[in-house]
Amino acid sequence: MGSVEPQASVEAKLNSGGQIVVNADSQEVRHEVSREVTDGFHLVIDALKLNGIDTIFGLPGIPITDFARKAQAEGMRVISFRHEQNAGNAAAVAGFLTQKPGICLTVSAPGFLNGLTALTNATTNCFPMILISGSSEREIVDLQQGDYEEMDQLAIAKPLCKAAFRVLHAEDIGVGIARAIRAALSGRPGGVYLDLPAKLFAQTMDAETGRKSLIKVVDPAPQQIPGADAVMRAVDLLKGAKRPLIVLGKGAAYAQADAGIRALIEKTGIPYLPMSMAKGLLPDTHELCASAARSFVLPGADVVMLIGARLNWLLSHGKGKTWGGKTHKDWGGQKFIQIDISPQEADSNVRIDAPLVGDIGSCVSALLAAIESTAGSNWAKPPAEWTGAIAERKNKNVAKMAETLARNPVPMNFHSALAVVRDIIKANPDAILVNEGANALDFTRSIVDMVKPRKRLDVGTWGIMGIGMGFSVAAAIVSGEPVIAIEGDSAFGFSGMEVETLCRYNLPVCVVVLNNNGVYGGTDVNPTGGPDAAPTVFVKGARYDKMMEAFGGVGVHATTPAELRKAMEEALRSKKPTLINAVIDETAGTESGRITSLNPSAKKK
Ligand code: ADP
Ligand code: TPW
């Protein structure tokens, strides 16, 4: 054979399961060896699938384009967006709706940063989400040698989310994904960053060893049972209350303990106030719902039980005039019970007299059991003086609102347009309502009743603009139900390009842009008389409906409630992506909507 080295011919190809099959054949190796090999791409996909995750929201590019392609080829739903922030918002709200971490996939540096706002917003709102981002070559990033899209992403993400991990070796992918899932779901849910450098995806390893390295996470959100003494402390406070109130927050909606919460409220007869995204946990039309008497029950209550709601700015920090205090710093004197999974939440703003740390399902069951065993059928419902006064206040406010809604001004105002939306939601209780803006948000929240849980998705804890289309896409994809997005014209602009995404996936989403020509309204003028428009004012008479038409969806220009009603009914019937440009009086809004008080320099009307 002389001195010629034997030439091995190695042929690698993907088999149907996506693994690389290597056929090594050489003159010396007479028999053909066949060995299955897998790679980073497939290990990430397999790890996600193993954990029941079947959808990815993202935007492709180096180094994750092939990952997105392969994930689709492996049967995952890969929903591509026009901007990463919208993909991130979609992932976050998918997490809220399904109790599985929503996955957002981005490219390095700029794509990662675009997704980061959504990751941080998810963390702020306690939504479980994982931002998976491709990243550049570690060696070059760490020496700051100027790689393509160079950035130390892990370091940047860390302070902005609940947890952050990086995987460098294919054999660690199983652990990396498992840790990310556990961090997102356990305890208080939140956003997790998972950094996957480009090189990782191409790493290969023996398929069988790879398979064994994956982890199916067992019990990622374990029950957390409250202590018996903590339960009794809470029950004793409730028993002694003359004017009790329950506040339901979006944590209660997330927990999916709907039946237990309803049983607790109906058994105790305690009036309740739903925070925005907890609306519908019990129907807003329930006789114990105190939404229409909010400014009466908060200062009037003597014992308040918070269930999955924080005493942050949305509840005026539990003190001040909202709660009956004399000044904005004064405590109103209420005693608080707080059910929360985070042991650190209590006392964050005011004293919590009875903290109940645990998951809401377990806490509510424990309370019900304790009430049953200590009082049974002798549980004293709140005095009629309290419930009667609430009912009276509610009836008065509801009658006043009905009068306002019945008016039919020209042009439309928020009330006359939202009276239509209220009827449509009433007739379609399974539809999901997405809502953002200032006036568009506040008026929708107070006018449109929700009757089922987790049907209202909005700007949440930060009051962030831009969630509209991302939330709408995810809500339609994960629920299969129709979506109605009520959008201020400014709010819509933050994610408006995703109307193309709605059309591309042919989603049953009806977007209503309440168009009053600007941020809060369209009446500001440039005081200098110069050519620039005032900072809050947009192009007058803009036709947002044409944007939807550009991509093959249905666009409607509505100037009356009757036109709006017809268009919304048709959208729900046809299930076609629809955008209704609802023309609203440009003088109708107030600056910052209902939170003008937080903006000391706001123009008062
Ligand atoms: P809202 O804005 O509706 O008032 P927040 O976002 O302020 O609601 O509060 C939600 C709270 O719910 C958070 O403090 C979070 O820790 C808590 N939470 C989330 N999931 C659960 C759960 N499964 N069990 C108990 N508490 C939960
Ligand atoms: C990411 C500040 C709060 S509300 C709002 C802005 C810009 C828009 C209000 O106008 P819109 O609604 O949507 O037309 P309406 O009904 O009052 O006319 N950037 C971010 N988040 C926030 N909250 C802002 C800016 C803001």
Side-chain angles (χ1 to χ4, degrees):
M1 299 294 290
S3 60
V4 182
E5 289 285 318
Q7 293 290 305
S9 86
V10 177
E11 190 191 333
K13 62 176 192 243
L14 283 179
N15 71 8
S16 59
Q19 284 117 355
I20 299 171
V21 178
V22 179
N23 291 315
D25 162 27
S26 82
Q27 289 167 346
E28 289 195 332
V29 183
R30 296 275 162 81
H31 56 280
E32 187 181 77
V33 287
S34 173
R35 183 163 70 82
E36 278 195 342
V37 171
T38 188
D39 58 16
F41 290 113
H42 290 94
L43 286 166
V44 177
I45 294 164
D46 292 346
L48 292 173
K49 284 170 68 174
L50 183 66
N51 284 288
I53 294 170
D54 55 11
T55 306
I56 293 174
F57 304 95
L59 203 161
I62 295 172
I64 47 102
T65 316
D66 257 8
F67 175 73
R69 285 197 189 107
K70 288 178 168 52
Q72 188 173 54
E74 294 291 327
M76 294 190 82
R77 281 203 87 174
V78 181
I79 308 298
S80 261
F81 285 76
R82 304 299 294 262
H83 189 288
E84 291 87 351
Q85 192 175 118
N86 306 319
N89 286 326
V93 94
F96 170 75
L97 289 170
T98 63
Q99 295 184 320
K100 280 184 204 161
I103 306 292
C104 175
L105 181 67
T106 63
V107 303
S108 347
F112 156 77
L113 285 174
N114 285 345
L116 199 53
T117 305
L119 183 71
T120 312
N121 187 51
T123 309
T124 303
N125 282 283
C126 316
F127 298 161
M129 153 180 186
I130 302 173
L131 173 65
I132 298 181
S133 185
S135 58
S136 308
E137 232 174 282
R138 280 253 47 85
E139 293 80 353
I140 302 183
V141 172
D142 288 347
L143 278 170
Q144 298 175 26
Q145 293 175 310
D147 201 3
Y148 168 69
E149 295 190 347
E150 175 182 301
M151 177 173 278
D152 189 356
Q153 296 169 194
L154 187 70
I156 288 164
K158 243 178 210 167
L160 297 174
C161 58
K162 189 176 170 195
F165 306 100
R166 177 187 292 132
V167 181
L168 290 176
H169 304 292
E171 60 265 33
D172 293 329
I173 286 173
V175 168
I177 300 274
R179 299 214 70 189
I181 292 172
R182 247 183 220 293
L185 290 177
S186 61
R188 171 182 280 173
V192 176
Y193 176 59
L194 187 61
D195 192 272
L196 303 183
K199 276 186 181 169
L200 175 79
F201 292 109
Q203 284 177 25
T204 57
M205 67 186 286
D206 170 65
E208 183 55 18
T209 315
R211 246 193 305 277
K212 285 186 183 150
S213 72
L214 302 185
I215 296 173
K216 184 169 169 39
V217 178
V218 176
D219 200 12
Q223 259 194 339
Q224 222 167 289
I225 315 278
D229 53 340
V231 174
M232 282 321 299
R233 201 179 293 126
V235 170
D236 286 345
L237 263 184
L238 287 177
K239 263 191 199 157
K242 299 260 175 309
R243 298 181 308 281
L245 176 71
I246 288 174
V247 176
L248 299 173
K250 60 173 122 61
Y254 172 77
Q256 300 193 15
D258 312 340
I261 289 171
R262 189 179 187 129
L264 181 68
I265 287 173
E266 290 182 344
K267 167 83 191 171
T268 58
I270 299 177
Y272 70 94
L273 192 66
M275 299 299 287
S276 182
M277 282 179 62
K279 275 165 72 78
L281 209 47
L282 279 79
D284 282 343
T285 47
H286 195 286
E287 63 168 337
L288 289 171
C289 180
S291 289
R294 188 180 196 271
S295 60
F296 177 74
V297 292
L298 290 180
D302 62 349
V303 173
V304 178
M305 179 156 73
L306 303 156
I307 307 185
R310 287 170 288 186
L311 282 176
N312 56 19
W313 69 281
L314 287 160
L315 282 168
S316 307
H317 304 282
K319 55 193 165 194
K321 293 184 176 167
T322 309
W323 293 86
K326 286 192 188 63
T327 69
H328 76 285
K329 291 220 157 154
D330 234 18
W331 291 18
Q334 290 84 359
K335 291 210 179 300
F336 286 101
I337 302 164
Q338 183 161 34
I339 300 182
D340 206 291
I341 200 144
S342 164
Q344 293 178 36
E345 184 54 37
D347 304 331
S348 55
N349 285 273
V350 295
R351 178 176 49 244
I352 300 297
D353 304 274
L356 205 50
V357 177
D359 69 278
I360 287 166
S362 300
C363 290
V364 164
S365 304
L367 282 174
L368 272 166
I371 286 169
E372 198 56 53
S373 69
T374 57
S377 53
N378 294 325
W379 176 265
K381 294 207 167 165
E385 225 174 64
W386 174 236
T387 47
I390 296 172
E392 194 182 311
R393 182 61 77 103
K394 256 173 74 170
N395 292 341
K396 213 168 86 191
N397 288 344
V398 168
K400 215 160 86 188
M401 178 62 92
E403 228 174 79
T404 314
L405 294 179
R407 287 187 204 124
N408 195 359
V410 179
M412 281 191 283
N413 62 10
F414 288 99
H415 290 88
S416 59
L418 289 169
V420 172
V421 177
R422 190 175 72 146
D423 292 349
I424 299 275
I425 290 283
K426 191 172 177 191
N428 298 275
D430 287 319
I432 294 182
L433 179 72
V434 172
N435 189 201
E436 61 178 335
N439 297 277
L441 176 88
D442 294 337
F443 286 123
T444 306
R445 189 179 53 229
S446 57
I447 292 170
V448 180
D449 287 335
M450 308 307 298
V451 295
K452 291 196 174 186
R454 294 169 294 282
K455 295 294 186 185
R456 190 188 147 84
L457 309 173
D458 67 29
V459 300
T461 304
W462 262 354
I464 191 172
M465 296 299 113
I467 49 87
M469 297 304 102
F471 276 18
S472 296
V473 169
I477 298 259
V478 303
S479 75
E481 301 289 356
V483 175
I484 295 172
I486 304 298
E487 301 273 314
D489 52 332
S490 164
F492 173 70
F494 287 73
S495 66
M497 192 63 209
E498 303 297 345
V499 292
E500 189 275 331
T501 311
L502 298 179
C503 292
R504 187 163 15 106
Y505 295 103
N506 194 25
L507 298 174
V509 176
C510 173
V511 183
V512 178
V513 177
L514 297 176
N515 185 359
N516 61 357
N517 293 344
V519 178
Y520 314 131
T523 51
D524 273 8
V525 287
N526 179 341
T528 70
D532 288 348
T536 57
V537 165
F538 296 156
V539 167
K540 305 262 181 203
R543 292 289 301 272
Y544 292 97
D545 48 316
K546 300 283 180 197
M547 286 175 67
M548 187 62 103
E549 284 176 0
F551 303 105
V554 178
V556 181
H557 184 59
T559 58
T560 65
E563 286 169 3
L564 176 59
R565 188 182 301 273
K566 184 164 169 270
M568 289 187 79
E569 283 172 351
E570 178 55 21
L572 283 156
R573 199 198 54 72
S574 74
K575 298 191 165 66
K576 286 189 188 145
T578 299
L579 193 152
I580 305 166
N581 183 55
V583 179
I584 302 292
D585 181 354
E586 66 174 9
T587 68
T590 53
E591 179 151 343
S592 305
R594 289 263 175 90
I595 56 169
T596 311
S597 61
L598 299 182
N599 181 0
S601 62
K603 286 172 107 182
K604 302 276 182 316
K605 282 208 165 182

